[in-house]
Amino acid sequence: MSFLVIGECVADIVPAPAGSGAADRVHPGGSPANVAHGLGRLGRDVTLLTQLADDDAGRLIEARLRAAGVRVEVGERPPRTPSAVVGLDADGRAAYRFDIAWTLTGGAPAGPAPDHLHIGSIAAVTAPGAAAVLAETERLRAHATVSYDPNVRPALMGGHGAAVSRVERCVALSDVVKASDEDLAWLYPDEEPRAVAARWRGLGPALVLVTRGAAGSFALGRDHLVEAEALPAAVVDTVGAGDSFMSAVLDGLAGRGRDALGALGADDLDALLRRASAAAAVTVSRAGSQPPDRAELEAVLRGDALRSGRAR
């Protein structure tokens, strides 16, 4: 099964502590790029259509993706690779200050249409490049299933009402949608996550998943609502955890067409959440967005590999 991910790459810059004398750390990032990287680490056939500059950060990101088996199609070369300065709070939660533009104009690479398309984050809602992303989504969904993760970045979303409309358009084009409780709190500050998930389900997706950090996650299918606890993990930081969750969801759903996604039972959703939660737990246990490969993920699902330190 083939995957196409369309979206941004970002160099995540973690500043060194003041006065430490250490150098800032640079981690390859960007939510869509992280999802593609996670799928590649799990052995999936995946292509990323993105923008990267011919600079140190761009080369670092591209090399990491290719090392995981991701085919990288660079639509355009911007003057510099987008970046985000990452701040971590006492619990390892990340906040970002961005220097990014998204100006993609081209469509998917030549060749057979993918079996699944994933979109999300800045690239799906930021002009002018979002128009190309949505045009490709509308074209490809006739043959491919579609997933979407809004990965809300308030500083880049523009006016609130227009941002909500853009997000809901993406939701309506999708078969699988994943969002965090923080995403939903910004989009719909007066609504409970379950209510939003139910309303999004009514827009068209067969499956809506919501992550809630240490509080776990839930999945709402056409006939079932299933909740899962987060796996215990020693949190280093949360960078890329949601993207790792998304990659594992797509891996677990691989091969299911639109009709099959609509027929997922409670046991299917429970297994899917366990798989995705395990991937996220591995990711938060180490610095930066470092999702598990298939052997690491299966080891965690079999038992206590994460707590014993083997999932490294």
Side-chain angles (χ1 to χ4, degrees):
M1 177 172 178
S2 60
F3 292 86
L4 172 65
V5 179
I6 305 178
E8 74 273 5
C9 293
V10 179
D12 290 337
I13 303 168
V14 182
S20 69
D24 294 346
R25 289 180 290 142
V26 179
H27 296 292
S31 177
N34 287 343
V35 172
H37 182 247
L39 285 167
R41 292 271 292 163
L42 293 171
R44 292 295 180 180
D45 177 359
V46 56
T47 299
L48 173 68
L49 175 60
T50 191
Q51 292 182 291
L52 281 171
D54 185 16
D55 55 17
D56 289 346
R59 288 187 286 273
L60 173 70
I61 293 170
E62 187 166 354
R64 176 189 186 241
L65 289 162
R66 293 191 185 281
V70 179
R71 285 185 295 276
V72 181
E73 297 282 344
V74 179
E76 284 109 23
R77 296 277 185 188
R80 61 186 180 279
T81 295
S83 64
V85 178
V86 183
L88 301 174
D89 67 14
D91 296 319
R93 289 189 297 263
Y96 300 87
R97 187 172 72 253
F98 291 96
D99 177 10
I100 185 169
W102 177 251
T103 59
L104 189 76
T105 57
D115 299 305
H116 185 87
L117 169 66
H118 177 74
I119 63 172
S121 196
I122 296 162
V125 297
T126 301
V133 176
L134 293 179
E136 280 303 281
T137 303
E138 290 171 341
R139 182 179 74 85
L140 292 172
R141 74 184 304 274
H143 307 286
T145 49
V146 178
S147 57
Y148 171 59
D149 177 359
N151 192 50
V152 168
R153 298 296 182 230
L156 302 174
M157 298 295 286
H160 184 267
V164 171
S165 295
R166 290 192 296 269
V167 167
E168 290 182 349
R169 182 181 177 192
C170 294
V171 169
L173 290 170
S174 302
D175 300 287
V176 178
V177 177
K178 192 278 292 182
S180 71
D181 54 357
E182 293 179 347
D183 294 335
L184 300 186
W186 187 85
L187 291 165
Y188 311 101
D190 299 322
E191 295 188 53
E192 292 296 322
R194 288 190 188 184
V196 176
R199 190 153 48 75
W200 278 7
R201 264 276 300 108
L203 295 176
L207 178 61
V208 177
L209 305 107
V210 176
T211 59
R212 300 177 292 182
S217 57
F218 70 81
L220 178 64
R222 289 191 176 159
D223 300 306
H224 304 279
L225 172 67
V226 175
E227 297 187 67
E229 296 181 353
L231 270 67
V235 177
V236 175
D237 67 47
T238 63
V239 176
D243 303 323
S244 182
F245 185 101
M246 185 83 247
S247 297
V249 164
L250 298 182
D251 176 64
L253 294 175
R256 296 180 189 260
R258 201 156 278 140
D259 291 341
L261 290 173
L264 291 169
D267 289 344
D268 297 320
L269 297 180
D270 181 69
L272 186 66
L273 288 177
R274 285 186 63 250
R275 187 172 197 84
S277 298
V282 172
T283 304
V284 302
S285 72
R286 46 203 189 188
S289 179
Q290 298 189 57
D293 61 21
R294 187 165 298 281
E296 289 176 314
L297 181 57
E298 296 299 336
V300 174
L301 289 169
R302 282 196 305 270
D304 207 22
L306 184 65
R307 281 190 240 175
S308 69
R310 291 193 296 277
R312 293 291 176 188

